[in-house]
């Protein structure tokens, strides 16, 4: 099964990815997480990406496409993938489509999580993350002990790009550069829409049921 999670910043893509890979044995790939790791390790990719990320813009296609496609060739992706945050432009989607054709793979579905801009700002401003990448929300998904990760006890921090002015820029980039992918995948019959304003558990139940049905259909 090869799936894409699509949606605005803060829609809950990462939250759902963590849950879905527990339901289905596929590799979860987040380009945002890969880029943040590269930035914190100070690799050449991180050095190229940092200024774009800090400003709320997209890392250029000629940088990110190679990174994402290389990751898709790793051994753990043989049984399928759940892409979170890629593709984000029509150029990236074309490159992915071509690569899948070349490697004899087929996209199963594109899962669009829809949330209004106002709610996005509320969510992202309350988001806190741990060193291990686990995501919390001060109001909607609070840790057991304030400011500490439930898993490893590390202090929770706010992402640099979660500041209000950067969030507004990320939203406008989403509207301009990523939303055209909704039509792109709808035309290909791959798009499935989910109401992301519901609770994380309700969104998860809905996506899981849809993906389970797709898997059954695929097996027939
Ligand atoms: P990335 O990390 O991918 O950021 P994003 O797409 O903006 O998504 P987020 O991680 O902000 O949100 P999410 O949808 O995962 O929401 P979450 O589950 O955390 O990318 C960061 C940057 O990297 C980009 O800006 C760009 O510069 C660069 N980049 C990455 N990929 C790229 C690409 N392909 N091309 C070019 N550049 C790229 O949830 C958010 C909060 O809400 C959390 O606190 C959570 O607890 C809470 N929450 C989740 N679901 C619910 C719910 N249903 N109800 C209430 N609260 C909820």
């Amino acid at each position: 099964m090869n799936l894409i999670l699509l949606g605005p910043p803060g829609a809950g893509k990462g939250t759902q990815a963590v849950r879905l890979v527990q339901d289905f044995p596929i590799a979860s790939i987040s380009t945002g997480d890969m880029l943040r790791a590269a930035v914190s390790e100070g690799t050449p990719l991180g050095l190229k990406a940092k200024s774009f990320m800090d400003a709320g813009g997209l890392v250029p296609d000629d940088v990110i496409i190679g990174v994402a496609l290389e990751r898709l060739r790793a051994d753990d992706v043989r049984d399928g993938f759940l892409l979170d945050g890629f593709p984000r432009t029509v150029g990236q989607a074309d490159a992915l489509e071509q690569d899948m054709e070349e490697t004899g793979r087929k996209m199963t579905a594109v899962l669009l999580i829809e949330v209004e801009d106002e709610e996005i700002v509320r969510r992202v401003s309350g988001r806190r993350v741990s060193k291990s990448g686990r995501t919390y929300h001060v109001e909607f998904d609070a840790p057991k002990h304030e400011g500490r990760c439930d898993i490893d006890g590390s202090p929770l921090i706010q992402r640099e790009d979660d500041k209000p002015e950067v969030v507004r820029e990320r939203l406008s980039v989403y509207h301009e550069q990523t939303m055209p992918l909704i039509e792109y995948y709808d035309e290909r019959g791959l798009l499935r829409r989910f109401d992301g304003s519901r609770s994380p558990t309700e969104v998860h139940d809905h996506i899981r049921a849809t993906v389970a049905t797709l898997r059954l259909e695929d097996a027939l």
Side-chain angles (χ1 to χ4, degrees), residues 26 30 54 62 79 106 143 172 178 182 196 198 203:
I26 49 177
S30 156
D54 286 350
D62 60 351
D79 290 337
K106 225 180 83 198
S172 105
T178 308
I182 297 174
R198 295 182 173 271
V203 179

Coordinates of all heavy atoms in Angstrom, one line a residue, residues 26 30 54 62 79 106 143 172 178 182 196 198 203:
I26 N 3.5 -0.4 7.0 CA 4.2 0.4 6.0 C 5.1 1.4 6.6 O 5.0 1.7 7.8 CB 3.2 1.1 5.0 CG1 2.1 1.9 5.9 CG2 2.5 0.1 4.1 CD1 1.1 2.6 5.0
S30 N 8.4 11.2 6.7 CA 8.1 12.6 6.8 C 9.3 13.4 6.3 O 10.3 13.4 6.9 CB 7.8 12.9 8.3 OG 8.0 14.3 8.5
D54 N 13.0 28.1 8.2 CA 12.8 29.2 9.2 C 11.8 30.3 8.7 O 11.1 30.9 9.5 CB 14.1 29.8 9.6 CG 15.0 28.9 10.4 OD1 14.4 27.8 10.9 OD2 16.1 29.2 10.7
D62 N 14.5 21.1 -6.5 CA 15.7 20.4 -6.9 C 16.5 19.8 -5.7 O 17.4 19.0 -5.9 CB 16.6 21.2 -7.8 CG 17.0 22.5 -7.1 OD1 16.6 22.8 -6.0 OD2 17.9 23.2 -7.7
D79 N 7.3 -2.9 1.4 CA 5.9 -3.3 1.6 C 4.9 -2.1 1.5 O 3.7 -2.2 1.7 CB 5.7 -4.0 2.9 CG 6.3 -5.3 2.9 OD1 6.5 -5.9 1.8 OD2 6.7 -5.8 4.0
K106 N 2.4 1.5 -7.7 CA 1.2 2.2 -7.9 C 0.7 2.9 -6.7 O 0.9 2.4 -5.6 CB 0.1 1.1 -8.3 CG -0.7 1.5 -9.5 CD -1.8 0.4 -9.8 CE -3.0 0.6 -8.9 NZ -3.9 -0.5 -8.7
P143 N 0.7 16.4 27.6 CA 1.5 15.3 28.2 C 1.0 15.0 29.6 O 0.4 15.9 30.2 CB 2.9 15.9 28.2 CG 2.7 17.3 28.2 CD 1.5 17.6 27.4
S172 N 0.0 30.4 3.6 CA -0.1 31.0 2.3 C 0.7 30.2 1.3 O 0.2 30.0 0.1 CB 0.2 32.5 2.3 OG 1.4 32.8 1.7
T178 N 0.6 24.0 -2.7 CA 0.3 22.6 -2.4 C -1.2 22.3 -2.7 O -1.5 21.2 -3.2 CB 0.6 22.3 -0.9 OG1 1.9 22.7 -0.7 CG2 0.4 20.8 -0.6
I182 N -4.6 18.9 -4.8 CA -5.9 18.4 -4.5 C -6.6 18.0 -5.8 O -7.1 16.9 -6.0 CB -6.8 19.3 -3.7 CG1 -6.1 19.6 -2.3 CG2 -8.2 18.8 -3.5 CD1 -6.8 20.6 -1.4
G196 N -10.7 17.0 9.2 CA -9.7 17.1 10.3 C -10.0 17.9 11.5 O -9.2 18.1 12.4
R198 N -12.4 17.2 13.5 CA -12.8 16.2 14.5 C -11.6 15.8 15.4 O -10.5 16.2 15.1 CB -13.4 15.0 13.9 CG -14.7 15.3 13.1 CD -15.3 14.1 12.5 NE -16.6 14.5 11.9 CZ -17.7 14.4 12.6 NH1 -17.8 14.1 13.8 NH2 -18.9 14.8 12.0
V203 N -10.7 11.2 13.6 CA -10.0 11.3 12.3 C -9.3 9.9 12.0 O -9.4 9.4 10.9 CB -9.0 12.4 12.3 CG1 -8.3 12.5 11.0 CG2 -9.7 13.8 12.6

